[in-house]
Amino acid sequence: MKGRMVFAALMILATALPALGGVGIGPQVGYYKSSDADEGSYLFSGALRLKPIPFLGAEGSINYRKESYYDDAVDVKSWPVMVTGLVYPIPFVYGLAGAGWYNTTFEYNNDLFPDLNGKETTTEMGWHVGAGLEIPLGTGARLAGDVRYVFLDYEFEDLEGKEAADSNFYVITATLFFGG
């Protein structure tokens, strides 16, 4: 029941957005790679962008990401909630900076780390900077693509026998915004 109510609210919001002007909501996909993660991965999310005046904007997004470290000894799943400020020096190019709250679950391989109880959940703050392009697709839609570098310091020092891993990462995203 809750899922249907959320879906209905999002549909009502999406149909009302063109009347608001400067507000867009839409799906976001991306690719990211933490410096010391075993490999890169894809992320899926939703984003809301506000552009009240032509040269300033703000964006909020909620992502889901999963990555592994130390040859699959640690799986890291996170649900970052990010807030980003946007500056448009020209109408279709923007610079960005912001912060994110990362609700993160670490799942440890019990054979390698029996003292860590298999799983722990923490929250971390991260910061990001980057740049992107925003292209209008006729009336009521925009395509935005950007590259962000995220400063995020996961605490891997507790893993006996493992060097500290660098969890900073870059992310490349594409977002299809519907609305003004």
Side-chain angles (χ1 to χ4, degrees):
M1 181 68 172
K2 279 186 185 178
R4 285 188 231 165
M5 290 175 54
V6 169
F7 181 75
L10 288 174
M11 290 296 96
I12 291 168
L13 181 61
T15 57
L17 285 176
L20 296 175
V23 178
I25 189 170
Q28 185 176 68
V29 296
Y31 175 82
Y32 66 96
K33 170 71 169 81
S34 293
S35 299
D36 287 341
D38 293 342
E39 57 188 40
S41 190
Y42 296 97
L43 66 83
F44 303 95
S45 57
L48 173 71
R49 187 170 284 189
L50 309 169
K51 193 173 173 187
I53 54 179
F55 58 90
L56 286 179
E59 180 182 290
S61 63
I62 299 174
N63 308 134
Y64 171 77
R65 12 182 330 244
K66 181 179 183 253
E67 57 198 335
S68 296
Y69 290 86
Y70 307 114
D71 296 323
D72 293 326
V74 181
D75 286 333
V76 179
K77 298 176 185 174
S78 68
W79 300 265
V81 177
M82 294 187 284
V83 177
T84 305
L86 307 163
V87 177
Y88 294 81
I90 55 179
F92 62 91
V93 175
Y94 59 88
L96 60 90
W101 175 71
Y102 290 77
N103 183 31
T104 306
T105 300
F106 298 89
E107 295 179 357
Y108 302 101
N109 180 318
N110 287 332
D111 295 333
L112 297 173
F113 306 108
D115 298 334
L116 294 178
N117 298 325
K119 185 188 270 191
E120 74 173 299
T121 300
T122 66
T123 57
E124 304 281 339
M125 285 297 294
W127 309 98
H128 56 271
V129 295
L133 299 172
E134 185 175 297
I135 302 165
L137 301 175
T139 60
R142 297 173 292 181
L143 179 63
D146 59 51
V147 176
R148 301 172 190 216
Y149 192 79
V150 179
F151 303 92
L152 181 64
D153 186 25
Y154 289 142
E155 300 296 328
F156 289 115
E157 289 82 20
D158 296 339
L159 302 179
E160 194 172 312
K162 301 290 183 185
E163 292 181 23
D166 185 358
S167 54
N168 294 340
F169 63 95
Y170 67 88
V171 61
I172 301 167
T173 63
T175 310
L176 182 58
F177 288 105
F178 297 99

